[in-house]
Amino acid sequence: MKKTFTLIELMIVIAIIAIIAAIAIPNLIEARKAGNEAAAIGTCRTVASAQALFREGDRDADGVIDYADTMADLGSADLVDEDLAGGTKSGYVFVVGGSAFDWSMTADAQANQGGRDFFTNESGIIRFTAEAAGPADVGDSSIGS
């Protein structure tokens, strides 16, 4: 006689799979956020190095020793990859502003892609907001350069 699964047995298997998925999916989302945050911190360090090279090498060849105004300027000088030069990478939007004397960059997490926003400038110190905090909270917390 051929033995088959009953409807009850199939429902139990589906329930077990649903429970495992309910446990695993939030952990996967948190791991993805943590990975995106780590990539954003690395990008902040990359941009700090790129800005120093841009300024010291007069990469825009205008005879003025200044920092790059935009991510596109760093990309056209071949100091950052083309994805980053476009302003978005790893779930973050990066915005750079520069002048002859200083520069700054913000890394804003896109929805559900990262938990913290980051900020850095010519000091090389990377500052961040607490998860779901407003811009007024930037500055009290930092990550070493």
Side-chain angles (χ1 to χ4, degrees):
M1 182 171 173
K2 188 174 178 183
K3 183 163 172 123
T4 61
F5 289 107
T6 65
L7 183 59
I8 298 290
E9 291 171 330
L10 288 175
M11 288 175 59
I12 291 172
V13 169
I14 291 171
I16 291 170
I17 291 171
I19 290 169
I20 292 171
I23 293 169
I25 289 174
N27 291 336
L28 290 174
I29 291 170
E30 288 302 314
R32 181 177 178 191
K33 281 184 179 183
N36 285 346
E37 286 183 3
I41 292 167
T43 299
C44 289
R45 290 185 177 131
T46 298
V47 170
S49 297
Q51 283 285 29
L53 290 170
F54 187 93
R55 183 170 197 252
E56 297 304 319
D58 190 24
R59 294 293 182 111
D60 54 359
D62 63 357
V64 178
I65 297 182
D66 56 352
Y67 293 108
D69 293 333
T70 64
M71 293 300 291
D73 290 343
L74 293 173
S76 64
D78 292 327
L79 296 172
V80 296
D81 63 35
E82 62 186 54
D83 291 338
L84 184 54
T88 58
K89 190 172 185 179
S90 300
Y92 277 81
V93 176
F94 298 93
V95 178
V96 166
S99 69
F101 304 107
D102 58 7
W103 66 272
S104 64
M105 182 189 80
T106 58
D108 296 321
Q110 295 176 343
N112 298 320
Q113 298 295 309
R116 300 180 291 177
D117 295 335
F118 298 95
F119 170 85
T120 190
N121 58 14
E122 67 280 350
S123 71
I125 297 171
I126 301 168
R127 294 175 172 83
F128 62 90
T129 61
E131 194 166 345
D137 294 330
V138 174
D140 293 333
S141 304
S142 64
I143 298 171
S145 55

